[in-house]
Every structure is written in structure tokens, then in C-alpha cells.
Amino acid sequence: MADRFRSFGLATPPAARAIHADDAIALLKGGQAKEGSLLAYGNGRSYGDSCQNQAGAVVDMRTLNRIRVFNAETGVLEADAGVLLSDIIAHAAPYGFFPAVVPGTQFVTLGGAIANDVHGKNHHRRGTFGCHVESFTLLRSDGKTYRCSATDNPRLFAATIGGMGLTGLILSASIRLMRVPSLDIVETTTPFRDLGEFFDLAEAADQANEYAVAWIDQIAGGRNSGRGLLFAGNHAEHGSHAASRAGGSLAVPFQPPFNVLNRPFLTAFNAAYRWKKGRATAPRQTSYRSFFFPLDGMRDWNRLYGPKGLFQHQSVMPEEAARTVVPELLAAARRAGQGSFLTVLKRFGSIRSPALLSFPRPGCTLTLDFPNKGAATHALLGELDRITIGAGGAVNPYKDARMSAATFAASFAGWPRLEALRDPAFMSDFWARTAGGIDLRRRGAEAAE
Ligand SMILES: Cc1cc2nc3c(=O)[nH]c(=O)nc-3n(C[C@H](O)[C@H](O)[C@H](O)COP(=O)(O)OP(=O)(O)OC[C@H]3O[C@@H](n4cnc5c(N)ncnc54)[C@H](O)[C@@H]3O)c2cc1C
């Protein structure tokens, strides 16, 4: 059973033990959960070890999957925490509503989206997922269920949004959906020759569009370095209100014994994908699934990275640093001879999240995916961390499986405030590796004084 409880990168071991949500609820309500013994598991779309707890058990939240109430006037939806975003979309679409924030896959749970305070292609307009949470119920190991909102238990509310599952089990939540004229998107695609051109285009694209994101051809060097495509879009005035919960009909049926997404593949893919010179395409109307969730079209595509899996590195840096730091990050990956299949660049806006710890902050965010080649990949990722932190940026914890305690502390100076509100029964491998390490060192230093 535990093998089903992997994280998306497949580079860390699967959960050692998994338990049913009802059993975890009984343990917590009876005040019997031991220290560090639990961690909620949503749908495992986090890339690394923030959804794993090797020393204890992960709690399968997917059985709590009821949509309880939907108000078709206000767009407020209340659901169990294990409901998938795909189900929320399918439920609300006929009434003209859509989640205000969606990540690049619709197969994440409501609880997982809150716990990681996920962001989408419209961060500049809507902020993070947490900005649209009205309230939730949180079960803690003192046996009590807390209703949390901006006014009820506000400290737990802020700590749980972006709290990576460490403050307890979110049982259910109410979120505000966004009214949209249709699910379809009118999309424009604008090629850019280099990063300078991207930065010139990106601000205007954000101003004119609900959604904007760029793909970079990370392999291209020399005069093609930094070329890419800027995708921007708005909901179509006239379009479909039909949603589908299903994944794609294509699937990777077995684990290939090697990384299929290798350098020759990437070079051919990028060439085929119109990275060439060209003019902006005329606006075209496309389905929400192909605009937001293109990767959901092929189930288990992460297996293409081979049995050792992949690492994702997502950094954010202040806007003023981005023009020099993004090229530096791309150059470091090229020098290391590592090709990134998905290289995504986007501007974050300045809307503040209610979360205590949230990854997005004003500036630019770059996401790179690398096949796991052991020490060489670790060395590259360490180099990317160093460049990011040196520029005053941060590295995303829920995409990570190996960052150092120092990188985490530099990325999230406020982490001790989350530690103070962490439920003692909850722990993740990520937290033990990062905050745990800092805490132990600090306690050691205090003891030595
Ligand atoms: C293809 C792809 C594209 C992605 N694109 C984006 C993107 O654009 N933007 C973005 O921000 N992220 C993105 N992600 C990451 C993904 O959105 C997040 O990791 C998300 O939080 C995963 O949700 P999950 O339900 O799978 O939760 P899991 O990965 O299983 O868990 C995530 C965290 O939530 C906690 N948790 C889960 N359920 C509960 C609960 N009921 N109570 C308390 N804590 C809980 C877990 O303990 C863990 O810390 C992407 C991932 C993939 C695979």
C-alpha cells in the first residue's frame, strides 16, 4: 500500500507507512497520536519530501472527498480536504465559477493546495490560493477541532496556509471561487528571442491578461540563449462551461529503465516546439485543460525520467535582480550539462498572502526540472540555491527534496514562528531535514552557553 504514497519527483523513497484518514482522526481525537508520528498526504503532487514522513505514517486524505455546500450566488464552496481541484472545477463550472488560483495540475487536493499555498499563472492578479480561503477546520493532537479564519483562531489560520501539513489535519475548508464568463481561454503566444525581450514583454502581458507564463528553451546557448514563448490569456466571453474530471487518455504504462527526457530528446522537442523566430500568433480560443493543465494529458509522465526520478528547482528573486540572476541560473545548468525539460519563468505580483510562510513574493520565479543523476545533479542544485540566495531570493520547499537547512532558513526567515505552532504529532521529512537541523544546532549552542 505504501508504494502508492510517493511524491511526484520519485527521487525520494515512498512512505514507509500509510494510514486511513479515519484512523488518524480517531488517534488525534483520543489524544493518542505520538510525537512526529503523522503527516497528511493529499495526492502526492509535491515533488520531494515535504509530503513524506519516514519516521511515522502518512495519512491518506483522499477518502475525505465530499463537496458539502456550494453557493451558486456567491461562489463560496465548502468541501472535505481530500476533494481534488478537478472535482471542484467540474462541480462549479456549470454555474460560471472557477477556482481563483489553480496550479499546473488539477489533480491536487483542497488540503494540499492550502497547505502549500499554491500559486498559478495569475499571481499578479489574484495572489495565492490562500488569499481565497474563507475558513477551514483543523484537527490537532490535543483532540480539538479548531475552526480557523481571519477572525477565528487567526494564528492557526495563518500558520496552516502554507504550513506544509505541520499544524494538524485540515478536515474541510470553505473557499471563494471566481466568476468567469466561460472556462475557455483566449490565448496568445508570443515568441521572444532572449530574456531581455521577455522582461520587456512580461509586465505589459501581466497588465493586459488574467494569466501569463513563459516557457524557456533552456538547452539553447549562444545567441539563442534565453529564447522562449510567452503564453497569455483571459477567460473567453463565449465558450464552454463543461468540465471533465478525467486525466488524459495517454499514459506511461511502465517505468522505463532510463531517462527518456534526455538531452537529444530535449533538443529535438525544443526545435519542434517553434522556439524559432516568429511573430506572435493571433489570439485563439482553447480549452481550460490545455491552457492550465497540459501535463495532465499524459498520466504518470514523471516515469519518463526513469527509475531515479527527477528534481525540480523553483526559485524566486526580486524583480531588480532577475535580469542578471535568471541568465546566471540558466548558464549554470548549461555548464553542468544538465537539460531541463520544463523551464518556466513567471512574474509574481505583490498581493500578500495571509500565510505565515508562503513561497511567492514580488519578483520573478524560475522553475527547472532535472533528471536525477545523483551527485552531479545535487551539485548543480546546490549551485542554483547559492545563486538564488545570493540574490536575496528563496527556494521553494514543496518542490524540494534536498535543500540544506541554511538555504531553507535564508529563504524563510519566519520559519521559527511556524515551528512554534507546529503540532508536535506532525512531522515531515523536509521539516526534520531543514528546520529540525537548525533547531537541534540552536539547542546545542544554547546548551553550550
Ligand atoms: C505537473 C505539476 C504542476 C504543478 N504546478 C504548480 C504550480 O503551478 N504552482 C504551485 O504552487 N504548485 C504546483 N505544483 C505543486 C502542487 O500544486 C503542490 O505540491 C500541491 O500542494 C500538491 O497537492 P497534493 O494534494 O498533491 O498534496 P501533497 O503533495 O500530498 O501534500 C502537500 C502538502 O500538503 C499537506 N497536506 C495535504 N493534505 C492536507 C490536509 N488535509 N491537512 C493538512 N495538510 C495537508 C501535506 O502534508 C504536504 O505538506 C505542481 C505539481 C505538479 C505535479
Side-chain angles (χ1 to χ4, degrees):
M1 176 190 177
D3 201 43
R4 281 206 295 121
F5 297 89
R6 300 209 63 146
S7 50
F8 195 76
L10 306 174
T12 49
R17 204 161 82 83
I19 63 171
H20 198 277
D22 290 343
D23 296 332
I25 290 170
L27 278 175
L28 289 163
K29 286 196 169 162
Q32 291 162 323
K34 296 205 178 76
E35 201 168 311
S37 62
L38 298 174
L39 183 73
Y41 180 96
N43 204 28
R45 261 43 181 191
S46 298
Y47 278 77
D49 55 358
S50 67
C51 61
Q52 295 295 342
N53 180 12
Q54 290 296 325
V58 294
V59 181
D60 181 5
M61 299 305 293
R62 285 172 294 190
T63 51
L64 301 184
N65 56 11
R66 224 166 18 113
I67 293 181
R68 297 174 175 203
V69 186
F70 178 59
N71 182 327
E73 294 295 315
T74 61
V76 174
L77 176 139
E78 186 191 337
D80 292 347
V83 162
L84 293 175
L85 274 193
S86 53
D87 293 326
I88 292 178
I89 293 170
H91 190 90
Y95 303 97
F97 283 94
F98 192 73
V101 172
V102 293
T105 169
Q106 59 177 337
F107 301 126
V108 301
T109 62
L110 178 57
I114 296 172
N116 281 342
D117 198 18
V118 298
H119 56 270
K121 297 175 174 61
N122 58 352
H123 185 271
H124 56 286
R125 290 256 176 112
R126 313 277 162 192
T128 60
F129 197 88
C131 297
H132 307 276
V133 174
E134 296 251 294
S135 64
F136 50 78
T137 53
L138 183 73
L139 176 60
R140 289 180 49 101
S141 62
D142 58 9
K144 292 190 195 147
T145 303
Y146 295 83
R147 182 181 187 277
C148 302
S149 70
T151 48
D152 293 340
N153 297 303
R155 290 176 69 225
L156 277 180
F157 182 69
T160 301
I161 299 173
M164 295 187 283
L166 296 162
T167 59
L169 279 191
I170 304 169
L171 299 180
S172 65
S174 277
I175 56 169
R176 280 181 307 280
L177 304 184
M178 166 171 88
R179 197 179 277 286
V180 291
S182 78
L183 261 64
D184 288 350
I185 299 292
V186 177
E187 177 190 31
T188 51
T189 306
T190 311
F192 50 89
R193 279 179 306 237
D194 54 38
L195 290 169
E197 206 173 309
F198 164 80
F199 287 111
D200 292 343
L201 291 168
E203 192 173 347
D206 281 359
Q207 271 165 16
N209 295 280
E210 172 78 25
Y211 304 106
V213 70
W215 284 17
I216 308 277
D217 178 357
Q218 181 265 335
I219 295 268
R223 68 187 175 84
N224 289 325
S225 169
R227 68 182 173 180
L229 300 171
L230 177 62
F231 302 96
N234 290 297
H235 285 275
E237 284 305 320
H238 304 285
S240 169
H241 284 94
S244 154
R245 292 175 168 83
S249 49
L250 290 172
V252 180
F254 61 91
Q255 174 76 76
F258 56 86
N259 167 31
V260 175
L261 302 175
N262 53 21
R263 218 179 153 82
F265 170 87
L266 291 188
T267 309
F269 174 83
N270 288 340
Y273 208 81
R274 298 187 284 123
W275 295 114
K276 299 166 195 163
K277 275 185 279 178
R279 287 209 301 272
T281 59
R284 67 177 192 112
Q285 193 153 327
T286 183
S287 78
Y288 76 98
R289 287 174 65 184
S290 76
F291 184 78
F292 295 110
F293 315 121
L295 295 167
D296 286 348
M298 182 181 282
R299 270 178 291 133
D300 299 325
W301 63 266
N302 49 346
R303 288 180 172 176
L304 294 173
Y305 281 91
K308 291 189 192 151
L310 73 145
F311 289 106
Q312 186 165 99
H313 190 275
Q314 183 175 16
S315 53
V316 58
M317 71 243 28
E319 179 112 34
E320 36 317 338
R323 280 186 188 253
T324 51
V325 175
V326 173
E328 233 185 290
L329 293 166
L330 294 176
R334 267 199 311 278
R335 265 198 316 277
Q338 305 242 1
S340 161
F341 173 48
L342 285 174
T343 305
V344 177
L345 183 57
K346 142 138 218 77
R347 289 173 83 234
F348 282 148
S350 54
I351 299 174
R352 277 185 70 87
S353 164
L356 199 54
L357 250 64
S358 183
F359 171 69
R361 52 205 80 185
C364 272
T365 179
L366 177 72
T367 307
L368 297 145
D369 276 355
F370 299 107
N372 176 11
K373 294 184 182 164
T377 313
H378 278 267
L380 167 62
L381 295 167
E383 171 74 355
L384 301 181
D385 290 351
R386 193 190 59 69
I387 296 170
T388 304
I389 299 302
V395 182
N396 189 336
Y398 57 88
K399 304 290 184 74
D400 178 73
R402 45 83 244 159
M403 79 167 76
S404 68
T407 297
F408 175 60
S411 298
F412 292 92
W415 73 267
R417 292 165 66 207
L418 175 58
E419 174 60 16
L421 288 167
R422 180 172 67 81
D423 188 307
F426 287 78
M427 182 48 83
S428 69
D429 293 345
F430 175 86
W431 199 254
R433 180 164 56 75
T434 55
I438 308 166
D439 213 25
L440 291 177
R441 281 207 302 277
R442 177 187 296 165
R443 280 185 220 158
E446 280 168 5
E449 276 170 11

